[in-house]
Amino acid sequence: MDSWQSPIAPGISWYQATVGERAAYPALDGSKTVDVAIVGGGYTGLQAACNLAKSGVSVALIEAHRFGDGASGRNGGQMGTGQRWWPEDLEKELGYERSKALFDMAEDAKRYLLDFAKIHGIEMDYMPGQMNVSHKPGHDKEYRANAEIAAERYDYPHISFMDRRETAERLGTKDYYCGVRDMGTGHIHPLKLLVGLARAAQEAGAQLYEMTKATAIRRTRNGPDGKIVIETPSGVLTTDRALVATNAYVGNLEPATAAHIMPIGSFIAATAPLDDFPDVIPGGEAVADSRFVVRYFRKSRDNRLLFGGREVYSSRDPKDTANAIRKQIVATYPALKNVEITHAWGGNVGITLPRQPFVKEVMPGVTSIGGYSGHGVMLSNYCGKLYADMVAGKATELDHLAALDIPAFPGGQRLRTPLLFLALTWFALRDRLW
């Protein structure tokens, strides 16, 4: 087992324990000049590096820790469909034309990711199916409408409504009241994808560096002759264009990104194989529920339950994570109260205020992309590819995201984190009481 303990996220994940050989990449040693520099070694950055290198662009990518230490290597693995919002809700906000364009973009993202894995021989443990379920009664009408609208208005016939009986049968619990089942998507082993993606980027000719923290990013001067400089403790990258793909881990590197993308903790536990509990998600689909503080869970290929959620934890100790997630597992599946939890881990998810991605040129030549808000497995990979297309001068669907109005979090640098903490605590309380 890979025994690396990330300094930025608690716990060694089940993904890490089962990923097999995981290549290590060198730290930057000395200064370099490239066409494009990328900060952040998750899906967005590595896809951008891979596609830029394939097109003959000289590209260097730096990651402060190891590839996969952020959300890309530790997430719930669910691909989803569409954007973070249901399309009918986006339609009310943006109108049908823009909502349909964003839905179609997400479908393109889904196809791109599956094709990329196939082309590059990445076995990412894809399993079909996802269910979205309501933890409260009285929502049958809107869930039924979701399936109908997807088929009739968005040309997506893969979603079906589940009443309470079917929901209970497909989940193996009576804890939910209705839902929709989507067989046009699925779930994956995220770290296997990331390891294969890094390998593909390196083989394409991208220069990849781990354990290399960006400490500053600036322009030498404005105008066409200005260069972008990215400083690190071990050298300087000088470039014409740069991508900030740090998502929840931007820190103090770039203030516009930090103002618009907020890190929140998300935690997952893996059980021992559930061979004695065949009623738990017998079809193998992934599940996400309707709580504001979402609970998300699925079965792995070796029959474990991977269960994720978030509460207000006071410690980053993974033992606390295991105990807190166990309570949520038992609340959903009481029969699993004595099942062993073999792995527990956590990390930060990057969210924006409207739960839509943040795509912005934050200074001349410097683009920031992130804030996928728990919907990033497909979108982050595709956004990296679209960024490379943009650098090549192609018209891209990235424009759909860049046109979204993403306000900064209120409170400024000093108050936005405590204000978010209060908001999440309030919504967690609402999930319990209403």
Side-chain angles (χ1 to χ4, degrees), residues 7 13 20 32 35 92 154 158 186 250 252 306 361 389 391 393:
S13 71
K32 294 182 177 293
D35 296 327
K92 294 173 186 174
Y154 290 84
H158 309 295
V250 66
N252 296 320
L306 309 183
E361 187 175 53
D389 289 347
V391 170

Side-chain angles (χ1 to χ4, degrees), residues 337-354:
K337 63 181 180 180
N338 295 322
V339 169
E340 179 189 5
I341 290 181
T342 60
H343 302 80
W345 66 98
N348 287 335
V349 176
I351 67 167
T352 65
L353 205 56

Side-chain angles (χ1 to χ4, degrees), residues 19-30:
V19 74
E21 184 179 356
R22 184 181 175 198
Y25 296 84
L28 180 67
D29 184 14

Side-chain angles (χ1 to χ4, degrees), residues 53-300:
K54 283 181 181 180
S55 66
V57 174
S58 67
V59 55
L61 180 152
I62 58 173
E63 162 60 44
H65 301 285
R66 291 193 69 184
F67 300 148
D69 277 7
S72 294
R74 303 172 71 86
N75 64 73
Q78 301 194 28
M79 291 173 61
T81 289
Q83 302 289 330
R84 179 66 170 77
W85 292 24
W86 278 0
E88 54 266 40
D89 295 328
L90 265 184
E91 192 173 326
K92 294 173 186 174
E93 181 79 13
L94 302 174
Y96 174 74
E97 184 176 338
R98 291 182 68 190
S99 176
K100 181 66 162 61
L102 286 165
F103 187 91
D104 291 345
M105 174 199 173
E107 281 302 287
D108 290 342
K110 190 186 297 179
R111 285 187 288 270
Y112 171 77
L113 179 54
L114 294 174
D115 289 346
F116 183 89
K118 183 177 181 180
I119 290 167
H120 293 279
I122 302 171
E123 177 46 74
M124 57 182 185
D125 293 0
Y126 177 81
M127 295 174 66
Q130 184 190 38
M131 297 183 285
N132 288 287
V133 294
S134 176
H135 76 291
K136 298 178 181 178
H139 294 284
D140 298 53
K141 183 178 179 181
E142 59 198 80
Y143 277 76
R144 193 185 299 275
N146 176 248
E148 294 171 353
I149 290 168
E152 295 170 6
R153 294 181 61 77
Y154 290 84
D155 303 318
Y156 190 81
H158 309 295
I159 297 177
S160 58
F161 172 74
M162 304 184 299
D163 61 17
R164 188 167 192 183
R165 179 192 59 79
E166 183 180 354
T167 301
E169 289 177 355
R170 293 200 181 278
L171 270 68
T173 175
K174 297 179 180 179
D175 206 36
Y176 294 99
Y177 292 86
C178 67
V180 290
R181 182 172 181 248
D182 183 353
M183 294 307 295
T185 190
H187 51 104
I188 66 168
H189 188 304
L191 190 55
K192 286 185 177 181
L193 170 60
L194 185 126
V195 168
L197 170 55
R199 181 178 66 246
Q202 185 182 54
E203 290 173 352
Q207 303 173 54
L208 305 180
Y209 303 101
E210 294 182 320
M211 310 306 288
T212 305
K213 181 180 177 61
T215 56
I217 181 168
R218 57 182 174 82
R219 284 189 66 87
T220 55
R221 59 179 179 272
N222 292 324
D225 297 327
K227 293 287 184 180
I228 299 159
V229 172
I230 300 174
E231 299 175 4
T232 83
S234 54
V236 171
L237 293 177
T238 303
T239 183
D240 295 316
R241 304 185 74 148
L243 170 63
V244 177
T246 51
N247 202 18
Y249 294 93
V250 66
N252 296 320
L253 177 66
E254 199 292 302
T257 305
H260 289 82
I261 299 177
M262 178 73 70
I264 65 168
S266 190
F267 301 86
I268 305 176
T271 70
L274 300 182
D275 299 334
D276 295 332
F277 301 92
D279 292 341
V280 176
I281 322 178
E285 304 94 336
V287 183
D289 76 11
S290 59
R291 290 176 171 86
F292 184 89
V293 185
V294 178
R295 294 182 185 179
Y296 52 95
F297 45 101
R298 64 192 182 97
K299 296 272 280 294
S300 64

